[in-house]
Structure formats: C-alpha cells, structure tokens
Amino acid sequence: MIQGEEIQRIGVLTSGGDAPGMNAAIRAVVRSCIYFGKEAVGIFRGYDGLISGDMKNLDSRSVSNIIQRGGTILKSARSAEFRTVEGRQKAYENILKFGIQGLVVIGGDGTFRGAGIFSEEYGIPVIGIPGTIDNDLNGTDYTIGYDTAVNTAAQAIDKVRDTASSHNRLFFIEVMGRDSGQIALRSSIAAGAEATIIPEKPMGVDELVRILEKGAGRKKSSSLVVVAEGGKPGHSIDLAREVNERFSYYDTKVTILGHLLRGGSPSVADRVLASRLGVVAVESLLNNKSAVMIGVVNNQINFTPFAQATSNVDNFEQELLRIANILSV
Ligand code: ATP
C-alpha cells in the first residue's frame, strides 16, 4: 500500500491479553468500514493469524450481538513468530494476498511495539486501539477493559468482605496488573479495603502490620488487603504468611482473583470507549494517519505515536494513592 492511496480494505485484529470491550471495538471498526463503503477483514489470533493467513471478510451481521460479550470473537494470541523478520515478512505477504491496505490493531504495549516495527518495515498504515485491562499506556486516560476489570475486582472484594466479617478474618486479595497497581488501587478504594500493596509505592511488612494493628485496635471485624500481582502471580501467599507470623489477631486467608478479571460483560464505560475508538480508528486510516494509538484524554480524542505510547509509561493516578491513605485511617 502506498501512503495516500485510497484504502478499500481494512484488517482488524486483537492481540496480547484479551480484555472486555475488545468485541465492542471490533464491532465499531467493522460497522464504520461499512458506513464509509469499505470492506472489513477479521484476522484471527492476533499476529499469528496474519502470518498464517487465518482471516475472513466481516459484514455488519457478523458483529451482531457481540457488544455486550467479554473476550474477543477474533481470538487473541501472543505471537513469537511476529517478533522475527521472517514472521513479519510472511505477514506482509498475506497483507498483499488478501488485499489489506490498512490495519487496526487492538491490544496493549507489545501489540503497538510490533505494529510500529511492521508499519515502518513495510509502509502499511496501522492504527492502534488500546485494549488491555492494565491501563498501562501513555496517551489515553483509560484503556478498553480496565473499567470492567476494576468493577469485577470491586464486586469480588465486596463478596470477600461479607465472609471476612462473619468470621473475623484478614484476607489478602490478589488482583491482576502486570507492572501496574492501578486495578488494585482503584478497586481497593471502591471496596473500602484497609490497605493496598502496589509496585508503584512498595510497602514493607512492618508498615502493613502497623496498619492492621490499628484496625484491630479499633475492633474491626475484618481486614482486607488488596495486592497487585505485579509480575509475580501468587506472591500474596508469601506476604500473608509473613504477616501472619507477626500478627495473629485475625484468621488469615488468601484469594487470588487471577483471570476472573479478564472475563465478563464489558461495562458501559468500556463499551462506549471502544465504540468511540473503533470509529475514529477507521476515520484515521481513511485520513492517511498511521503508526499512532488513539486514546481519550480529558474526554477528547488523542493521537499518540506508538513509540511514545509504550515508552516510560506514566499514567499512574497519584491522587488516588493520597485518597486511599486518607480513607484507610
Ligand atoms: P497486554 O498488555 O494485555 O499483555 P500486549 O499487547 O502488551 O497486551 P504482548 O504479548 O506483550 O501483549 O504483545 C502482543 C504481541 O505483539 C506479541 O505476542 C508479539 O507478537 C507482538 N510484539 C510485541 N513486542 C514486539 C516486538 N518488539 N517486535 C515485534 N512484535 C512484537
């Protein structure tokens, strides 16, 4: 595809970890293509499907009844082959074979790194839509899936609270968030947890025990500590053991929410964000934009070059940390 040539066929794929709201974004891309008189091609299993040629035309009906569904109808994958020159060469050959002239990739930072390299190597126009529960990208206030994951986490923490307070228990509840404590912090505030352990502001066992002792001193019937997985799934078990050795006021339990946070029907906020970004992604390709991620900042559409969206990510909401501290007295 030569930049500036009119685009007739647009490919769409979902890549990396799945996130609720990806289906709403696919739907928006396909329906926008149809609205503008273009063809939409669904590529299965992320970059793997581009390499193997696993794709098919999507019409308006093929995205009916999916806006409310979690997961992704196009499936997702982490493609080792796309990281290689040979893999991307095969992907480009399929781009030519299937007549794809522009690509919309829905995923996280890795997806955009790959898209940036691919677009630079072959000049194929690519637009990114942030779809990841982690909210770990520059250039958008929120990523698609984050709001749903936080809501799911908060609802689960509420349920744990019911049982914790019936038995005077201390629960460590571990939530997903690879290098980011955002899901942990937001859901912790929403569910009124006593403490939050996140990579952005590490807390030693001494400090945590001090907070828990304060609560016990006030005869709290339960205590909840929300722990961000932070790249080490299951580490809340070690933390709980360490705390329990020094503080035995409560019976101590651990709940790891894990992949539960990826599933479920997307929230209204995620559906609307996905719909908005899907439409703008197609419009952007038709306006000859490329190698940018679309986001929403202060309720305005925002374009960020891939390299900028993924490097030195700094979108942690410091203000929420202050709020959590004040409210955990
Ligand atoms: P999430 O944040 O939900 O994990 P992600 O998009 O960051 O999503 P990754 O697995 O990191 O998920 O990346 C998705 C895919 O992007 C990778 O499996 C790989 O195919 C491609 N990719 C990532 N980094 C590169 C790179 N440096 N070069 C080429 N391709 C890459």
Side-chain angles (χ1 to χ4, degrees), residues 264-287:
S265 181
S267 66
V268 168
D270 276 333
R271 294 182 202 191
V272 173
L273 178 64
S275 300
R276 223 172 145 183
L277 297 183
V279 170
V280 178
V282 171
E283 287 175 336
S284 304
L285 278 175
L286 299 180
N287 288 325

Side-chain angles (χ1 to χ4, degrees), residues 54-298:
D54 189 5
M55 47 187 99
K56 72 167 189 195
N57 283 2
L58 297 177
D59 59 18
S60 185
R61 292 278 69 77
S62 52
V63 291
S64 292
N65 203 16
I66 65 166
I67 193 168
Q68 79 283 18
R69 280 168 54 194
T72 156
I73 59 161
L74 292 178
K75 314 271 185 188
S76 191
R78 300 193 194 270
S79 169
E81 212 181 341
F82 195 73
R83 293 176 184 270
T84 67
V85 172
E86 296 76 22
R88 293 193 297 276
Q89 171 70 34
K90 282 193 216 161
Y92 183 60
E93 282 161 16
N94 278 323
I95 290 264
L96 295 178
K97 184 171 159 195
F98 287 85
I100 293 170
Q101 295 158 315
L103 205 53
V104 177
V105 296
I106 306 166
D109 55 346
T111 299
F112 300 149
R113 257 181 236 117
I117 293 167
F118 188 55
S119 149
E120 206 172 294
E121 282 175 341
Y122 294 103
I124 172 95
V126 187
I127 297 288
I129 295 182
T132 166
I133 62 168
D134 288 340
N135 203 34
D136 57 351
L137 290 160
N138 292 321
T140 191
D141 288 340
Y142 301 112
T143 56
I144 297 166
Y146 172 66
D147 183 67
T148 306
V150 169
N151 274 284
T152 305
Q155 284 161 17
I157 299 166
D158 286 348
K159 289 177 178 146
V160 171
R161 173 76 81 185
D162 289 346
T163 176
S165 52
S166 303
H167 290 273
N168 273 32
R169 279 178 175 155
L170 161 63
F171 265 87
F172 286 79
I173 305 159
E174 185 176 305
V175 301
M176 274 191 170
R178 209 171 23 188
D179 305 310
S180 161
Q182 294 194 66
I183 295 176
L185 182 57
R186 199 164 256 262
S187 60
S188 176
I189 290 173
E194 277 64 28
T196 320
I197 308 291
I198 53 173
E200 290 85 350
K201 191 175 183 297
M203 182 191 291
V205 173
D206 286 346
E207 193 181 348
L208 180 54
V209 167
R210 196 181 47 75
I211 292 170
L212 295 171
E213 281 174 344
K214 217 164 70 178
R218 292 206 312 278
K219 302 269 180 292
K220 279 192 165 199
S221 64
S222 65
S223 265
L224 305 184
V225 179
V226 180
V227 184
E229 150 197 293
K232 277 199 295 189
H235 75 106
S236 55
I237 297 171
D238 296 332
L239 181 62
R241 194 176 300 122
E242 250 185 282
V243 169
N244 194 234
E245 279 165 11
R246 303 190 20 199
F247 174 76
S248 54
Y249 178 80
Y250 299 105
D251 181 21
T252 305
K253 301 281 179 198
V254 178
T255 296
I256 299 175
L257 298 182
H259 285 77
L260 193 80
L261 299 194
R262 288 198 184 277
S265 181
S267 66
V268 168
D270 276 333
R271 294 182 202 191
V272 173
L273 178 64
S275 300
R276 223 172 145 183
L277 297 183
V279 170
V280 178
V282 171
E283 287 175 336
S284 304
L285 278 175
L286 299 180
N287 288 325
N288 295 318
K289 273 198 167 21
S290 181
V292 289
M293 182 200 85
I294 310 168
V296 172
V297 174
N298 293 333

